[in-house]
Structure formats: structure tokens, C-alpha cells
């Protein structure tokens, strides 16, 4: 991820409804949530949700797929992982203990599936 992509991701996450959407989708895991369920979960009207989903999709933070008549949205774990890696790339400056809490938190999650590996 380059700086331009990181800025787009942060701009997308810098709005409360979009941040809630991403958090809800991360919690839902790779199966994702249907648009209507997601709208209820984050307390956003469906027509407003579409705008937020578009912004998050363009930033590479969520994906969508059709399942019959429904559109299912999921967290784009690769994009989210890239964003975290962008932030942590130059971490520590020779002091790895500074990064240990973040590394431990990431180690507890399989960011390719969204599953928690450790309790």
C-alpha cells in the first residue's frame, strides 16, 4: 500500500457510519452481512448506506458479492491488513518492545479469514 491508498482508506474510515460498517463486517467474518442486516446493525438508512459502502469499496476496505437477490458485504481483510502494515512498516526504530502490543493483537486474528486464533 502506498501513501495515496492509505490516505483514501483513512478518509473512508474518518466518518462514523463507515467506521461502524467496517467494524461490523470484521466482526461478521468472511461470510459477511446482507445490506439490510448491515444497515440495521449500524443504524443507517439503506439509501445512505449505499453511499458509505461505495466509499469503503473504492478504498479497498470492503468487498461485495451477489447471493440470489441479496448483496453480501464483507471486510476486505487484505486491504485492512495492508493498511495496518502501512502504519507499522517503520515501527520501532530499534525498539521492538514498542510494537509488541500491536503485534500481539494482530497475532490473535487470522486476517485472511477474520477468525480469532486465540482467546
Amino acid at each position: 500500500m502506498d501513501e495515496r491508498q492509505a490516505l483514501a482508506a483513512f478518509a473512508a474510515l474518518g466518518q462514523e457510519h463507515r467506521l461502524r460498517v467496517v467494524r461490523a463486517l470484521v466482526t461478521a467474518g468472511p461470510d459477511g452481512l446482507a445490506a439490510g442486516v448491515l444497515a440495521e446493525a449500524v443504524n443507517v438508512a439503506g439509501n445512505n448506506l449505499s453511499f458509505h459502502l461505495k466509499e469503503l469499496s473504492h478504498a479497498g476496505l470492503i468487498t461485495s458479492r451477489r447471493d440470489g437477490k441479496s448483496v453480501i458485504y464483507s471486510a476486505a481483510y487484505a486491504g485492512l491488513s495492508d493498511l495496518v502494515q502501512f502504519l507499522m512498516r517503520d515501527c520501532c526504530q530499534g525498539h521492538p518492545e514498542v510494537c509488541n502490543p500491536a503485534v500481539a493483537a494482530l497475532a490473535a486474528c487470522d486476517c485472511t479469514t477474520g477468525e480469532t486464533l486465540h482467546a
Side-chain angles (χ1 to χ4, degrees):
M1 175 171 283
D2 62 24
E3 189 173 283
R4 181 189 54 78
Q5 293 166 315
L7 287 169
F10 284 120
L13 290 171
Q15 199 281 339
E16 66 181 303
H17 297 306
R18 292 193 289 262
L19 181 60
R20 288 182 194 157
V21 165
V22 170
R23 293 191 71 199
L25 292 176
V26 167
T27 300
D31 291 338
L33 295 171
V37 173
L38 184 56
E40 268 186 46
V42 298
N43 198 26
V44 175
N47 58 339
N48 289 335
L49 182 66
S50 296
F51 169 76
H52 296 304
L53 294 171
K54 180 185 66 128
E55 294 297 313
L56 291 166
S57 181
H58 285 302
L61 301 175
I62 66 168
T63 61
S64 64
R65 68 183 185 283
R66 278 234 171 254
D67 184 11
K69 293 182 180 181
S70 297
V71 178
I72 307 297
Y73 292 91
S74 301
Y77 293 102
L80 292 167
S81 179
D82 287 349
L83 183 58
V84 171
Q85 287 177 16
F86 175 83
L87 286 174
M88 302 298 289
R89 184 177 302 142
D90 300 320
C91 181
C92 306
Q93 299 268 333
H95 301 283
E97 69 278 2
V98 172
C99 296
N100 286 342
V103 171
L106 288 174
C109 177
D110 180 348
C111 290
T112 60
T113 66
E115 295 177 18
T116 300
L117 301 175
H118 309 291

